Amino acid sequence: ETNFIIINFKDQLPLGVHYKLFVPTLKNLCNEKQVEMFLKPAQNLQIIGCYAQTELAHGSDIVRLQTTADYDIARQEFVINSPTIGSTKWWVGELGLVSNHAVVFAQLRIKDKNFGLHAFIVRIRDERHEPMPGMKIGDVGAKYGF
């Protein structure tokens, strides 16, 4: 007699956040070019993502999130910054050990004008799985119930 164990990895940690939050966010927000750059690699696990919304001081009160994304016109790129301890992204599932990209929620600012909360895809680790320059990544430790 042979016994089989079937595991649906899409419902298991550590990829639960990747499949249930990161990939659906990409599906809903990516344009055609971004689908090629981010969604397809995420679906093939070449990119493993997390969802960085909650902040230490504000929880999930998205109106009060302090992380900013300033558009640098000269360099044509966004500069993401969590300027205070309270704006530290917190309880980011899969960030501490697994993810190499994140959907980061931040206040979009262009020329000091705030355009409200937007989602940004941010590479957080390099090919060796080391934090990208300027990134401080950690794990809050064991979580009850896991």
Side-chain angles (χ1 to χ4, degrees), residues 46-62:
Q46 295 165 308
I47 288 175
I48 298 177
C50 59
Y51 190 85
Q53 174 184 301
T54 303
E55 290 183 353
L56 183 59
H58 303 102
S60 294
D61 180 0
I62 61 172

Side-chain angles (χ1 to χ4, degrees), residues 83-144:
T84 66
I85 294 293
S87 64
T88 300
K89 295 299 184 184
W90 198 252
W91 289 112
V92 182
E94 299 170 14
L95 171 65
L97 302 173
V98 179
S99 297
N100 54 25
H101 285 69
V103 170
V104 176
F105 288 83
Q107 303 289 341
L108 170 59
R109 299 188 311 192
I110 302 174
K111 294 184 178 179
D112 294 324
K113 182 177 179 186
N114 191 330
F115 289 87
L117 198 64
H118 285 71
F120 296 86
I121 302 166
V122 178
R123 184 171 183 179
I124 57 173
R125 287 194 170 92
D126 64 17
E127 296 81 16
R128 295 172 297 134
H129 210 63
E130 296 295 325
M132 296 296 288
M135 293 281 171
K136 294 179 184 174
I137 298 174
D139 189 83
V140 296
K143 290 107 184 143
Y144 291 105

Side-chain angles (χ1 to χ4, degrees), residues 3-73:
N3 294 317
F4 293 96
I5 298 174
I6 299 173
I7 299 173
N8 179 356
F9 286 104
K10 290 183 180 181
D11 293 330
Q12 305 297 317
L13 293 175
L15 296 176
V17 172
H18 174 80
Y19 283 114
K20 292 184 189 247
L21 292 172
F22 184 78
V23 170
T25 300
L26 297 181
K27 283 182 181 178
N28 287 306
L29 298 179
C30 284
N31 62 30
E32 289 180 23
K33 182 179 177 183
Q34 293 165 336
V35 164
E36 294 300 318
M37 289 175 62
F38 301 109
L39 178 59
K40 288 184 179 179
Q43 290 171 322
N44 295 325
L45 296 176
Q46 295 165 308
I47 288 175
I48 298 177
C50 59
Y51 190 85
Q53 174 184 301
T54 303
E55 290 183 353
L56 183 59
H58 303 102
S60 294
D61 180 0
I62 61 172
V63 173
R64 294 178 44 197
L65 295 184
Q66 295 177 347
T67 299
T68 58
D70 291 299
Y71 185 65
D72 183 329
I73 295 170

